Amino acid sequence: MHSDVRAFARNHGAPLGIFIALALLMTWPLALNFTAAVPGDGVDNTGHMWNMWWLKYALLHGQNPFSTRMIFYPEGVSLWLHTLNLFNFLISLPFQMLFGLIVAYNAAIIFALATGGYTAYLLAVDVTDDRRAALVAGVIYGFSGYVLAQVIGHHNLMAVQWLPVVVLALRRVTRGGGRLWIGVAALALWFNLLCDWQYFLFAMIWGGWYALTVFWERRSLRAVAPVGAALALGALLALPMAIPTAMVAAQTPQADTGEAYRLDHSADLLDFAIPSQLHPVWGSLSERWQSYKPNMTIQNKTAYLGFIAVGLAVIGVRRKEGHFWLISALVFAVLALGPHLQVGGVGTGIPLPAALLYNLPLINVSRVPLRFVVLALLALAMLAALGTRQILARFPQPARRNALLAGLVGLIALENLTMPYPLSPIYIAPIYAEMGGDGEQYAILDAPFYRRTSFIHMFYQAVHEKPLVEGHLSRKQANQLETQLPLIRAFAHARPAPDIIGQDYLDIASSVFSYFNIRYILLHSDGGALRYSEMLEFAQAAADGNPPQEQGSSVVYPDARRASTLRRTMGLVELQPSGSALIYEVVPPETPLPFLGIGDGWSYPEAQADGSVQRTVEREADLIVYSAEPRDVVLELHVAPQQSGRLYITRNGADLTAWVLDAGRNILSTPLHVDAGETRFTLIPETTGALAVELVDLANAPMTP
């Protein structure tokens, strides 16, 4: 009994302990700042922290985790296309419940790094039957430049621990492992899905590649059948998530997935030989060497294989059993190069297999070919383990073997060293805790809505738990209020939002915010909102002229495209805010005014030479009137058809008004009755070409004597 415990501790506990120690080393000084800072640039990492909070919130409140009204308020948004990373959430939930969100996020990082090395170690034990050599494989894979770069903010992509389990289980099923290993393979595929859709696809592609090699070697479909069964069962487990995701994807415009985008996000041939920019010694050199990718973040351009790993792999490939791993490493390295070969930022025009792969269904939703390098690294790690086994076999003395092993592990760790890891201190303005403690229901507008600011504002939601007008997801989504209301658009982008609506924003500001129950407007200096003076005037008008509070806001976040701009220190990070926020409390008007919104069917607003703004209507377009109470109003329209025609206004399909239009400018008006709430009117032109609309305005109907 005791011998079994000692053997388990030696074979599993000791390697896992080494990987935990390496995780703490590579992310140092995270251990010193575990409750006050998170690794990364303060952008994507805060977005993933919001994921963790939202999933806990949905779980505790019995809500669907794949749909929320807590962002993109009031309409809400589907989260099926968003990278939620359910697995990291499940792992971190106990930490979140006991110690809070920051500790949970950091614990998930240490867990992912340590288990990534450990599962690669288990696979290498199966490949080499040598636990010492397997330890080298775990370090090469789990602490590669690629994986450590993902810690900057790609919480989903650092979770590489289930890919080796899939590979291991598929090896076992072809060696008579039976139903147990088929189930393990399918479950590991599903866990990859919970980490990231791309890794699930990568694992399925690996399974297909492995089945092909097994068939080539044995010339038997029967030998391949267990692999097919495991992949089919894994696909079946994925269906409950795959079907709704596909349905939402079919209705959502997909941006940034074309060949040009993929080419930008492919590995350059030199990327395989350039160390991570996070390295404390030669990172600055790497930054210069990778100057051909000035706009790519470190996460999306780190594909370093490691010279020591490659050297060990060269030794390992001499054995026949290494041939499969060599070919596998080459196959997935070529896929990481994307649709066309690039060398030093120069396109060669040479087409590569990925150009065909990305034309296949499902795979074409993947946007970053470079990420295939994770499988190339896994195959390389197995080759390196085979090479290490051969080297260690030359030293029969245990002391020398262990010393050589320690030296190899140390050199590989040194080659990929990222200490001190860049950290983002988390500062939360006191106002958010006050909002969270008031027990009332209302929404908040944090401005502006930039990607870099939206994620941190979403993180603040974990403190106040109020709906946010803004939001940012993995796939860009339209914001209803921003689209419909130019006033909200001005706050979103911290700049003027000229449009065809003629109402004075200062007059309607308090009515707009009160109607949607938006109680607080926070203007943040870190997004540049305070430079737009008119926005301050709009917020002041919504607050009925009352002055704002001013509090320290978030820190200044660095540029993750260059390691030299990241915040790095070997000790404790400072928690002082470097920005500020003006906080306006909305005062509901005594007599709320109705206001206009732009519905569906309109072109984008276009500035004209005379300074005016114009939108066009092709077939029909909606105007929305929001009113806190039933009102009689007068709608005024300035339209300019190219030729004479007619214009109809309908409500719920019933004609209300029709006008005969002359060519050129027409000024039209009609009385309308609007109910409390949202009333939609549809404009239907019968004109040659699109109808140009220069102005829509709303006024109270005159009182009848």
Side-chain angles (χ1 to χ4, degrees):
M1 177 68 178
H2 293 293
S3 61
D4 291 341
V5 172
R6 285 196 297 270
F8 183 86
R10 181 177 62 254
N11 296 335
H12 298 279
L16 191 55
I18 291 171
F19 295 133
I20 292 173
L22 280 174
L24 294 172
L25 173 69
M26 292 298 192
T27 59
W28 186 267
L30 178 62
L32 290 179
N33 298 274
F34 219 69
T35 63
V38 294
D41 62 353
V43 181
D44 286 334
N45 48 11
T46 50
H48 282 286
M49 292 170 75
W50 180 87
N51 292 344
M52 288 181 169
W53 167 79
W54 160 248
L55 290 169
K56 185 194 80 168
Y57 183 92
L59 180 67
L60 296 180
H61 291 80
Q63 297 184 20
N64 177 4
F66 295 102
S67 180
T68 181
R69 294 186 65 195
M70 295 299 285
I71 54 176
F72 292 90
Y73 171 87
E75 185 179 55
V77 69
S78 169
L79 298 177
W80 282 109
L81 298 180
H82 182 55
T83 303
L84 281 174
N85 197 341
L86 294 168
F87 182 79
N88 277 357
F89 160 70
L90 293 173
I91 291 299
S92 65
L93 182 59
F95 294 94
Q96 189 176 171
M97 299 294 288
L98 292 173
F99 306 111
L101 193 52
I102 297 174
V103 170
Y105 183 86
N106 291 331
I109 290 173
I110 301 302
F111 178 87
L113 292 176
T115 55
Y118 177 67
T119 56
Y121 160 82
L122 294 179
L123 172 61
V125 169
D126 189 70
V127 171
T128 65
D129 196 28
D130 187 317
R131 295 187 179 277
R132 292 183 176 87
L135 192 66
V136 169
V139 177
I140 290 172
Y141 176 74
F143 300 92
S144 64
Y146 167 81
V147 173
L148 290 168
Q150 305 314 311
V151 177
I152 288 178
H154 289 169
H155 217 236
N156 52 318
L157 298 175
M158 71 178 183
V160 299
Q161 62 265 52
W162 292 106
L163 289 169
V165 180
V166 171
V167 177
L168 172 61
L170 292 180
R171 283 172 54 86
R172 292 292 181 90
V173 300
T174 58
R175 302 204 307 258
R179 295 178 180 177
L180 172 64
W181 284 102
I182 290 176
V184 171
L187 195 60
L189 283 165
W190 185 66
F191 280 136
N192 273 297
L193 175 65
L194 297 186
C195 292
D196 187 84
W197 263 106
Q198 294 170 91
Y199 285 170
F200 173 77
L201 289 175
F202 290 179
M204 294 292 285
I205 292 170
W206 176 279
W209 160 249
Y210 184 64
L212 181 64
T213 60
V214 170
F215 177 77
W216 179 264
E217 179 183 346
R218 304 185 189 180
R219 298 296 197 277
S220 169
L221 288 175
R222 187 173 183 178
V224 176
V227 177
L231 297 180
L233 183 56
L236 186 64
L237 291 175
L239 281 180
M241 292 180 64
I243 291 174
T245 300
M247 293 174 64
V248 174
Q251 302 170 2
T252 305
Q254 294 295 307
D256 299 336
T257 55
E259 183 170 309
Y261 184 91
R262 291 196 187 99
L263 196 60
D264 289 341
H265 289 76
S266 298
D268 188 289
L269 188 62
L270 296 186
D271 290 342
F272 296 138
I274 298 178
S276 170
Q277 292 187 23
L278 297 176
H279 197 282
V281 178
W282 46 74
S284 57
L285 290 174
S286 298
E287 187 174 319
R288 291 201 294 271
W289 291 336
Q290 281 191 313
S291 60
Y292 53 82
K293 286 188 172 181
N295 296 318
M296 291 295 106
T297 61
I298 294 171
Q299 305 98 297
N300 289 328
K301 60 185 173 187
T302 302
Y304 182 54
L305 300 179
F307 289 108
I308 296 174
V310 170
L312 292 171
V314 169
I315 298 172
V317 79
R318 297 175 182 176
R319 303 294 295 266
K320 182 180 179 181
E321 56 194 319
H323 295 173
F324 165 76
W325 298 107
L326 172 63
I327 297 172
S328 297
L330 292 174
V331 165
F332 289 99
V334 169
L335 289 178
L337 291 170
H340 296 93
L341 179 64
Q342 301 173 88
V343 182
V346 178
T348 65
I350 300 174
L352 296 174
L356 298 175
L357 185 68
Y358 279 106
N359 286 323
L360 298 177
L362 295 180
I363 296 174
N364 59 10
V365 303
S366 179
R367 304 186 298 169
V368 184
L370 177 141
R371 293 169 185 166
F372 272 110
V373 77
V374 69
L375 290 177
L377 284 163
L378 182 58
L380 179 69
M382 297 307 109
L383 267 178
L386 290 170
T388 302
R389 185 182 66 179
Q390 292 186 54
I391 294 173
L392 294 177
R394 299 175 184 175
F395 297 87
Q397 301 89 345
R400 290 189 177 183
R401 282 202 309 268
N402 291 338
L404 179 59
L405 177 65
L408 287 174
V409 169
L411 286 173
I412 295 167
L414 181 63
E415 190 176 23
N416 291 305
L417 192 64
T418 52
M419 181 183 70
Y421 206 90
L423 300 181
S424 295
I426 300 298
Y427 179 85
I428 302 172
I431 186 64
Y432 291 112
E434 296 172 19
M435 294 173 183
D438 63 19
E440 299 184 47
Q441 297 296 317
Y442 52 84
I444 295 170
L445 187 145
D446 285 285
F449 297 0
Y450 302 152
R451 173 180 176 269
R452 292 180 65 83
T453 58
S454 289
F455 276 145
I456 187 66
H457 299 163
M458 289 166 64
F459 168 72
Y460 294 154
Q461 190 178 50
V463 178
H464 60 69
E465 296 192 343
K466 312 292 187 187
L468 289 177
V469 175
E470 65 181 316
H472 189 89
L473 301 178
S474 306
R475 297 295 186 269
K476 186 174 178 60
Q477 302 285 327
N479 185 307
Q480 179 194 34
L481 289 191
E482 180 186 342
T483 301
Q484 293 178 356
L485 302 175
L487 174 62
I488 301 298
R489 202 178 315 135
F491 281 96
H493 302 287
R495 63 173 183 260
D499 213 315
I500 59 174
I501 292 178
Q503 291 178 288
D504 190 325
Y505 298 165
L506 294 174
D507 292 339
I508 64 173
S510 61
S511 297
V512 170
F513 288 105
S514 296
Y515 177 89
F516 290 106
N517 194 26
I518 300 169
R519 182 173 299 179
Y520 288 100
I521 303 169
L522 290 91
L523 306 183
H524 295 266
S525 63
D526 58 340
L530 304 187
R531 293 195 297 268
Y532 177 34
S533 60
E534 287 186 47
M535 190 162 65
L536 276 65
E537 295 175 10
F538 300 152
Q540 192 90 20
D544 196 28
N546 295 325
Q549 299 182 52
E550 183 171 0
Q551 291 189 1
S553 184
S554 59
V555 298
V556 173
Y557 296 111
D559 186 352
R561 294 175 296 182
R562 291 173 292 277
S564 59
T565 69
L566 296 173
R567 183 190 302 267
R568 306 180 81 167
T569 177
M570 287 295 288
L572 295 172
V573 298
E574 296 181 5
L575 294 180
Q576 295 300 320
S578 59
S580 61
L582 299 181
I583 305 155
Y584 297 85
E585 183 172 0
V586 175
V587 176
E590 293 183 5
T591 306
L593 297 175
F595 54 94
L596 285 163
I598 301 294
D600 299 329
W602 297 89
S603 69
Y604 289 107
E606 295 182 3
Q608 304 300 300
D610 61 1
S612 64
V613 179
Q614 191 178 94
R615 286 181 183 254
T616 57
V617 182
E618 290 283 351
R619 295 183 179 178
E620 60 180 50
D622 291 341
L623 274 177
I624 308 167
V625 179
Y626 297 96
S627 183
E629 55 191 33
R631 297 289 290 267
D632 290 318
V633 297
V634 175
L635 176 66
E636 181 177 331
L637 299 166
H638 293 190
V639 301
Q642 298 175 8
Q643 299 181 18
S644 60
R646 298 180 69 86
L647 176 62
Y648 299 89
I649 293 185
T650 67
R651 176 178 177 178
N652 299 327
D655 292 343
L656 296 179
T657 304
W659 290 285
V660 176
L661 304 179
D662 297 324
R665 177 173 293 179
N666 294 252
I667 299 178
L668 314 171
S669 65
T670 183
L672 298 172
H673 178 77
V674 297
D675 300 323
E678 178 183 319
T679 306
R680 286 181 178 260
F681 299 95
T682 303
L683 305 184
I684 306 174
E686 288 185 358
T687 58
T688 301
L691 175 65
V693 180
E694 300 172 344
L695 181 135
V696 293
D697 205 349
L698 205 62
N700 292 331
M703 298 292 291
T704 56

